[in-house]
Amino acid sequence: MKQLAKHEKRPILFLDAGALLFQGATIPADRLAAQQAKADGIIKAVQAMGLTAAGIAPQDLAGGIDYLVRAQRKTRFPWLSMNLVRQTDRRPLFAPFIITKTGSTRVAVLGLTGRVPGPAGNTDGNFMVLPWQDVLRDTLAKVRDRADMVILLSSYPCPVNERIARRFHGIHLIIQSGHATANLPPKQVDNTLICQVGAKGGYLGRMDIRWNASRRWRHDFSGQLRTVQDRLDRTNWLIKRNQWLKRHSPRDRSALDERYRELLDTRDQLRTEIRQLQKRGRTGGKGLCAYTNSFISIRTTIPEDRAVEAIIVQAARTVNRINRKRLQRQRQQFRTTNRAGQGHANNPDPGMAALAGWQTCRACHPEQTAFWLKTGHARAWQTLAAVNQQFNLNCLVCHVTLPADDKTTGYHTEQRLALLPSTFNNVGCEACHGPGKKHARQPKRVGMRKAGAVVCLTCHTPDHDNNFDFKHKLKKIRCPAPAA
């Protein structure tokens, strides 16, 4: 945003609709300190980027309402919610809206918090979230004569936002949050545009708006154009397939010829429809407001800003330090429990006891081990350490070697991570091929699992690796075949 503000000649409004601080609606008590430290870093970073205002989603309340109230006092940008109120007197805990001037345009930005899990949206007795029907009409009345454009930051799901758009024509733009992992291009509902940037902070949404006194959007035909163009592409493919069948298939030629003529007629109709939509798009919006929309990949297209990067690095170090102390406490607690005879003293974890470690594999498979040591899997834990994330449990589980969860043992992943020997600080042989201690003792009688895409996809999920292709990646990490 700082780069856009530096290079653009037009005024910029930088907004976030919510779900900015936390991913889920609840946080386990033993993880709260680390999550709040991470949220502190996010707040400092977006403030340094020049955030104008932020909406409050249910996820932002996961750290506690008191935490968010304290955060508001320390930030220069406002947190907005018209329906997040004190339970005692139903007075808003945060500003319902702001009026700001962007260039010569007066813009009202409103906040609307989505439904919070729990009875009547009340999670801890200190606050409640009122239904949008109770507050939105009155809030809009307060800004109607003071603003040229009204923007709603909403964490309600899209169907609810569409109902709001149809009911209140004075809202010109709804930016929604918290309900999609992918970017959603603007959807026009009457005179309201509804849009959203995907979760996880991978993209910025950019909308260039040409606003005027009409306060009405030019109708957007791009969605209809895409649909008709997809049908045309499919029809062209069917025409080519029909031509191939006529040359190579022994099927009845008359039936193929009839189908070919039908496809040609369909193609002509679709081409005509596309021309008409394009013409309506060029001529049907004279004097109305217009926009263009794009999504900017933060990771790949924007160089790091040094000030923001320093904030993020410091936050990562703080979170890492908190998580390290937490794992140390758990490690001591588990060992104390075992010494007291309350755990599996002689065999603390049957799952971990079944692992041999890559050094054992090397004794019989030196060529394969030498190859593995050159892959990214062998350095998986080090990649976390390089960015102060080696004690982040959400990341760590996919950067070490663990047995598959077995609920019958009484041990869960977090306990295993707390007690994990350093020899398993990598994605070793057994992460893909399963536990190997029995195989090491009796290699001819006990085989190993053949790694497949299902195993890889437990960690290479779209959130972490959205370009994962099993066959392509397998070429990079497949070990050489054993000698005959």
Side-chain angles (χ1 to χ4, degrees), residues 6 35 49 74 77 115 148 233 247 261 292 318 394 421 424 436 470:
K6 180 179 179 180
Q35 290 298 311
M49 293 164 66
K74 295 185 290 185
F77 63 86
R115 185 176 179 275
D148 305 310
D233 292 341
R247 290 194 303 269
R261 288 191 293 270
T292 58
T318 302
N394 294 329
F424 295 107
F470 175 68

Side-chain angles (χ1 to χ4, degrees), residues 9 22 68 78 82 165 169 178 190 195 212 217 245 253 264 298 387 428 442 475:
K9 303 300 182 183
F22 309 105
L68 198 57
M82 68 183 81
H169 294 170
D190 292 339
C195 60
N212 59 42
W217 295 110
L245 288 173
R253 287 290 299 271
L264 291 179
I298 296 176
V387 291
Q442 297 178 303
K475 296 176 182 178

Side-chain angles (χ1 to χ4, degrees), residues 17 56-57 80 100 119 121 129 167 211 213 225 264 326 347 376 381 444:
I56 301 174
L80 304 177
T100 185
V129 177
R167 183 168 172 179
W211 199 245
L225 272 171
L264 291 179
R326 174 167 161 252
N347 190 7
W381 186 86
K444 293 184 178 180

Side-chain angles (χ1 to χ4, degrees), residues 334-472:
F334 297 150
R335 288 173 176 169
T336 301
T337 300
N338 283 335
R339 283 197 298 269
Q342 300 171 10
H344 304 277
N346 296 323
N347 190 7
D349 184 348
M352 290 302 300
L355 299 181
W358 67 269
Q359 295 90 340
T360 301
C361 302
R362 180 170 56 185
C364 296
H365 304 282
E367 184 181 1
Q368 288 75 23
T369 306
F371 174 84
W372 169 79
L373 285 168
K374 297 177 183 178
T375 69
H377 280 173
R379 301 184 299 276
W381 186 86
Q382 285 82 355
T383 63
L384 291 182
V387 291
N388 294 295
Q389 293 291 309
Q390 72 269 38
F391 299 108
N392 183 334
L393 299 183
N394 294 329
C395 300
L396 191 57
V397 67
C398 281
H399 289 253
V400 297
T401 302
L402 292 173
D405 278 333
D406 181 357
K407 293 180 174 57
T408 64
T409 67
Y411 286 84
H412 56 73
T413 297
E414 191 162 319
Q415 289 175 308
R416 286 171 170 165
L417 290 173
L419 298 168
L420 192 69
S422 60
T423 186
F424 295 107
N425 282 349
N426 48 58
V427 179
C429 315
E430 292 160 295
C432 299
H433 298 289
K437 186 169 284 187
K438 289 183 179 180
H439 171 75
R441 291 172 178 168
Q442 297 178 303
K444 293 184 178 180
R445 293 186 59 184
V446 180
M448 295 293 287
R449 178 178 68 199
K450 183 178 180 181
V454 173
V455 175
C456 304
L457 289 171
T458 58
C459 286
H460 291 273
T461 61
D463 284 346
H464 301 118
D465 190 352
N466 58 7
N467 292 315
F468 181 75
D469 182 288
F470 175 68
K471 291 183 179 179
H472 174 70

Side-chain angles (χ1 to χ4, degrees), residues 250-403:
R251 295 169 58 183
D252 180 13
R253 287 290 299 271
S254 61
L256 289 172
D257 288 340
E258 182 178 355
R259 176 59 175 158
Y260 184 68
R261 288 191 293 270
E262 291 175 356
L263 289 170
L264 291 179
D265 289 342
T266 300
R267 183 178 67 181
D268 291 341
Q269 293 170 8
L270 292 172
R271 285 175 171 174
T272 299
E273 189 174 352
I274 287 175
R275 286 194 296 270
Q276 291 173 344
L277 286 171
Q278 289 173 334
K279 182 178 180 180
R280 290 171 67 188
R282 289 192 299 268
T283 62
K286 291 183 178 180
L288 300 180
C289 304
Y291 72 92
T292 58
N293 185 80
S294 60
F295 297 102
I296 305 169
S297 174
I298 296 176
R299 296 188 184 96
T300 60
T301 61
I302 300 179
E304 293 286 356
D305 177 89
R306 290 186 178 180
V308 174
E309 184 180 18
I311 292 170
I312 294 171
V313 169
Q314 182 57 48
R317 288 174 179 164
T318 302
V319 172
N320 211 38
R321 184 168 60 250
I322 294 171
N323 281 331
R324 181 183 62 190
K325 291 180 178 179
R326 174 167 161 252
L327 282 176
Q328 288 172 342
R329 288 195 301 270
Q330 289 181 335
R331 187 180 301 117
Q332 184 60 40
Q333 177 185 343
F334 297 150
R335 288 173 176 169
T336 301
T337 300
N338 283 335
R339 283 197 298 269
Q342 300 171 10
H344 304 277
N346 296 323
N347 190 7
D349 184 348
M352 290 302 300
L355 299 181
W358 67 269
Q359 295 90 340
T360 301
C361 302
R362 180 170 56 185
C364 296
H365 304 282
E367 184 181 1
Q368 288 75 23
T369 306
F371 174 84
W372 169 79
L373 285 168
K374 297 177 183 178
T375 69
H377 280 173
R379 301 184 299 276
W381 186 86
Q382 285 82 355
T383 63
L384 291 182
V387 291
N388 294 295
Q389 293 291 309
Q390 72 269 38
F391 299 108
N392 183 334
L393 299 183
N394 294 329
C395 300
L396 191 57
V397 67
C398 281
H399 289 253
V400 297
T401 302
L402 292 173

Side-chain angles (χ1 to χ4, degrees), residues 98-247:
I98 61 168
I99 305 289
T100 185
K101 202 164 187 180
T102 306
S104 60
T105 304
R106 298 171 302 165
V107 181
V109 184
L110 290 62
L112 186 63
T113 300
R115 185 176 179 275
V116 173
N122 181 5
T123 60
D124 63 7
N126 296 327
F127 71 92
M128 63 187 305
V129 177
L130 300 176
W132 62 269
Q133 296 93 331
D134 292 359
V135 294
L136 190 50
R137 183 182 298 279
D138 290 343
T139 306
L140 284 171
K142 294 176 182 179
V143 304
R144 184 173 294 115
D145 297 329
R146 301 169 58 189
D148 305 310
M149 182 180 191
V150 176
I151 300 175
L152 176 64
L153 308 178
S154 170
S155 49
Y156 275 100
C158 191
V160 175
N161 290 327
E162 290 183 12
R163 286 175 58 196
I164 290 172
R166 292 190 179 95
R167 183 168 172 179
F168 298 104
H169 294 170
I171 301 174
H172 304 108
L173 176 63
I174 297 178
I175 305 175
Q176 61 185 23
S177 70
H179 294 278
T181 56
N183 297 323
L184 299 178
K187 178 180 182 179
Q188 188 167 345
V189 178
D190 292 339
N191 193 42
T192 303
L193 295 179
I194 302 175
C195 60
Q196 178 171 339
V197 176
K200 306 290 187 180
Y203 289 85
L204 287 174
R206 171 173 174 165
M207 183 177 288
D208 293 275
I209 297 174
R210 294 178 291 283
W211 199 245
N212 59 42
S214 73
R215 300 187 186 182
R216 295 197 60 81
W217 295 110
R218 182 174 65 187
H219 189 76
D220 179 23
F221 293 98
S222 60
Q224 290 176 258
L225 272 171
R226 282 194 299 271
T227 301
V228 179
Q229 184 62 55
D230 288 343
R231 290 172 57 197
L232 178 60
D233 292 341
R234 172 68 176 170
T235 301
N236 285 331
W237 181 85
L238 290 172
I239 289 172
K240 291 180 180 179
R241 183 174 181 272
N242 183 284
Q243 292 171 335
W244 185 90
L245 288 173
K246 287 199 293 186
R247 290 194 303 269

